Amino acid sequence: MKHPILLLLGCEEFRTPELERALQLKGWGSKWIDSTKASSEYVDIEPTVLLANSGRLDTSVQLIRTFRSKDSFIPLILIGENAFGLPLNVDAFIPRGASQDTWLNVIKPYWPNTSLQTDQIEELNEIFGKYMLLHKIASGGTADIYKAKQLEPEGFLRVLAIKRLLPKHQQDPGFVKMMLDEANLAVQFNHHNIVRILDVGSEAGAYYLAMEYVDGCNLGILINNVANLGITFPEPVAAFLIAQAANALDYVHRRRDASGQILNLVHRDISPQNILVDQEGAVKIIDFGIAKGNTTPQEPGQENKLKGKLLYMSPEQSKGSPTDHRSDTYSLGLVLFEMLAGQPCFRADDEFGLLEKVRAGIVQDIRDVKSGISKPMARILDKALQKNLSNRYRSAMALAQDLVAFQNHYHTSSVESDILTFLKMVQSSQVQTKAFVESHFTSLKGNFVLHSEKERIKTEETPEAIPEKKRKLPIWILPTLNALLLLLAYLAWVAMNV
């Protein structure tokens, strides 16, 4: 694993010996950059996290775009909250005047080796209503997530996850409504591949969700760990994980309300960060904060606001056009592409160029990026990432069926145990993982017809699908007609001669 580097742009006013010492003790290498200088001076730096002064962001934008052109996933943290309306994806904020501890807590989730050992985890043991927050799991732009336990009578222990709005959003009606909408929606779900909502409430003015705790990490962490190990996901592992996610989405897409009316729900934020994988390889979908259905009211002033992660948006979502379940399937295809290719499907020099490519649906061909990709897997990706909605998978279940067919064709006696072993090795970033992949996951040999292709062939061969003039006649028709003609000719000859 490469040494983590924190690149600070235009942040000299916050630089103190105490802060530098605190970063060093936590293992961060810090480089303080004058953002007014030419970006070419820093092209050889490979930072783990970018941290920029929002007060001088206009001089840092070009540098940020330079580094993100090389690594679209590099996190960006702002000191302050003013982004000047620039189209930059900001992952977190540090308030001005924040303490060293706040700095360390904000950047902690972006440590590259996210499989933290017990002695590296900072125990909080903070009492929060009827829960005790044990330690922070992750931090985002709207909320922090903690591993927690419910304060119950002696001898009973219930471990769960608490999602708590950040202090700056606790009095914002929009963010509060988003959290409550997520709770009202997700509490209706009962599927083994979707994280369950257990409780919702407010404590000391802070709204929270209590959720099922998943002992594992998100898929984005696994992708980063795999890249740091110098490998990509073996095709059977990628098919195993994405098939589970597709099953969860199919369940969501088919949900009905109490009256039996289909809700037409679309998650709209499918990304590696919202797909959790536990220690046993089970997948859990999270974060329905921006999910939308036919009963979801439009917020005033939100008509043209782009929500979700640009790298994983469908063309129609990136344009603000109406979306349906095929948009989620497209996003899941982008996640599958990244797992297999080791890089995002969309790449551009800046975020304007990225938006152009996403809207145009200009996807890379996996065969140009990943040598040795199997023909069936290439066809699965090709179908999932069609710009034309009618050419995509008709449902998430259809995608899952093709992925399961792929697994069944690949199946060996030990493949399932090999998948679980691989996932555990990746979660702990074991250096032996590469050798394990080379010895246990061979390339898929040959070719076969996918489930969706069988259905297409069957449909094309039905009488209803064949034009009237092109239908084949039954085999007995011609001999019978010939016999009738001969009989008529004989009768005509007899009549003439009699």
Side-chain angles (χ1 to χ4, degrees):
M1 185 191 72
K2 59 185 180 182
H3 186 69
I5 297 175
L6 186 67
L7 190 63
L8 300 102
L9 306 174
C11 297
E12 287 292 330
E13 64 186 273
F14 308 106
R15 188 174 187 176
T16 63
E18 293 77 17
L19 178 58
E20 288 188 286
R21 176 65 174 163
L23 292 171
Q24 183 181 11
L25 288 173
K26 289 295 182 180
W28 289 96
S30 55
K31 292 186 178 294
W32 302 76
I33 299 300
D34 181 355
S35 56
T36 60
K37 293 185 178 180
S39 60
S40 59
E41 296 183 31
Y42 312 114
V43 292
D44 294 330
I45 300 175
E46 295 184 3
T48 309
V49 179
L50 300 177
L51 199 151
N53 182 354
S54 65
R56 299 172 61 185
L57 192 58
D58 54 336
T59 62
S60 304
V61 168
Q62 189 55 49
L63 268 174
I64 293 170
R65 288 176 176 165
T66 297
F67 285 109
R68 280 193 163 173
S69 68
K70 296 190 293 183
D71 180 3
S72 302
F73 281 105
I74 189 167
L76 172 62
I77 300 173
L78 286 189
I79 303 177
E81 299 178 14
N82 187 1
F84 296 115
L86 293 168
L88 292 171
N89 288 327
V90 180
D91 297 277
F93 295 92
I94 297 176
R96 291 184 178 277
S99 65
Q100 293 174 194
D101 289 340
T102 300
W103 277 62
L104 296 174
N105 286 335
V106 172
I107 66 175
K108 184 177 180 180
Y110 304 101
W111 182 272
N113 183 6
T114 48
S115 301
L116 297 174
Q117 301 301 318
T118 304
D119 59 354
Q120 293 178 297
I121 296 175
E122 183 180 346
E123 296 293 337
L124 294 176
N125 295 328
E126 173 190 342
I127 301 299
F128 180 67
K130 56 185 177 182
Y131 305 102
M132 177 181 284
L133 308 182
L134 302 177
H135 61 81
K136 188 183 291 187
I137 300 172
S139 183
T142 61
D144 290 328
I145 301 179
Y146 301 86
K147 181 179 181 181
K149 67 179 181 180
Q150 191 164 347
L151 300 176
E152 297 284 358
E154 191 72 25
F156 180 84
L157 177 63
R158 188 182 195 185
V159 177
L160 35 72
I162 296 291
K163 180 178 182 178
R164 180 171 67 177
L165 274 181
L166 295 174
K168 64 183 180 183
H169 298 318
Q170 289 171 8
Q171 304 304 317
D172 187 320
F175 285 99
V176 171
K177 182 180 184 302
M178 187 184 296
M179 177 166 280
L180 295 177
D181 286 347
E182 178 182 359
N184 288 328
L185 183 62
V187 76
Q188 303 176 53
F189 301 148
N190 182 21
H191 192 277
H192 59 280
N193 292 126
I194 299 176
V195 166
R196 290 176 293 122
I197 299 294
L198 307 174
D199 186 23
V200 60
S202 174
E203 181 64 34
Y207 280 85
Y208 69 89
L209 298 180
M211 307 178 293
E212 170 190 2
Y213 174 71
V214 178
D215 185 16
C217 61
N218 68 53
L219 189 54
I221 289 172
L222 293 183
I223 290 173
N224 286 338
N225 286 359
V226 165
N228 288 333
L229 291 166
I231 55 177
T232 55
F233 277 85
E235 290 182 35
V237 180
F240 174 76
L241 296 178
I242 298 301
Q244 294 182 66
N247 279 324
L249 285 176
D250 182 70
Y251 171 86
V252 171
H253 296 156
R254 292 185 294 103
R255 287 297 294 167
R256 297 177 180 270
D257 62 17
S259 65
Q261 180 185 4
I262 192 162
L263 294 172
N264 290 319
L265 291 171
V266 186
H267 187 286
R268 297 203 303 165
D269 199 14
I270 291 299
S271 66
Q273 292 73 26
N274 288 334
I275 300 174
L276 304 185
V277 183
D278 72 11
Q279 297 288 341
E280 300 305 317
V283 165
K284 304 277 187 177
I285 299 290
I286 62 170
D287 202 347
F288 289 82
I290 63 171
K292 190 174 179 60
N294 54 16
T295 61
T296 307
Q298 178 69 57
E299 300 175 41
Q302 300 295 307
E303 293 83 359
N304 298 316
K305 188 170 182 181
L306 203 59
K307 292 184 177 181
K309 300 178 182 67
L310 184 57
L311 271 174
Y312 306 102
M313 283 187 189
S314 64
E316 59 272 19
Q317 184 181 353
S318 68
K319 296 175 184 176
S321 303
T323 57
D324 63 19
H325 59 273
R326 290 169 294 184
S327 179
D328 281 345
T329 307
Y330 185 96
S331 298
L332 197 56
L334 292 174
V335 176
L336 176 59
F337 181 102
E338 186 174 336
M339 294 173 72
L340 295 171
Q343 64 181 50
C345 185
F346 294 112
R347 299 178 72 84
D349 293 334
D350 54 42
E351 295 195 40
F352 290 111
L354 181 62
L355 181 59
E356 265 187 41
K357 286 191 173 181
V358 173
R359 287 180 172 176
I362 304 175
V363 299
Q364 299 184 76
D365 189 327
I366 187 67
R367 286 157 287 211
D368 295 335
V369 182
K370 171 76 171 177
S371 61
I373 193 79
S374 69
K375 292 179 179 178
M377 183 58 75
R379 296 202 305 276
I380 289 173
L381 279 169
D382 182 62
K383 188 173 182 65
L385 297 178
Q386 288 289 317
K387 181 183 179 182
N388 189 327
L389 277 76
S390 61
N391 293 335
R392 292 181 204 165
Y393 281 101
R394 70 180 188 280
S395 67
M397 177 55 69
L399 171 59
Q401 288 173 335
D402 271 1
L403 291 169
V404 170
F406 179 90
Q407 294 176 72
N408 291 340
H409 186 85
Y410 190 95
H411 197 276
T412 64
S413 59
S414 63
V415 68
E416 290 182 12
S417 62
D418 288 344
I419 289 173
L420 297 183
T421 301
F422 170 83
L423 291 172
K424 289 178 180 178
M425 294 177 76
V426 169
Q427 287 191 14
S428 56
S429 294
Q430 294 183 28
V431 295
Q432 302 93 334
T433 310
K434 186 173 184 179
F436 179 81
V437 169
E438 292 172 350
S439 61
H440 288 75
F441 293 101
T442 57
S443 299
L444 181 67
K445 303 297 183 183
N447 198 1
F448 63 95
V449 178
L450 296 166
H451 187 274
S452 61
E453 294 167 339
K454 290 178 182 177
E455 287 194 345
R456 176 175 56 79
I457 293 170
K458 183 178 178 181
T459 301
E460 290 175 351
E461 290 180 350
T462 58
E464 293 78 7
I466 303 173
E468 190 72 27
K469 62 181 181 181
K470 291 186 178 180
R471 291 183 186 174
K472 291 183 178 180
L473 297 174
I475 194 169
W476 53 269
I477 287 290
L478 290 177
T480 303
L481 287 174
N482 289 333
L484 286 172
L485 289 171
L486 287 172
L487 178 61
L488 288 171
Y490 173 74
L491 292 174
W493 179 82
V494 169
M496 291 174 63
N497 286 277
V498 170

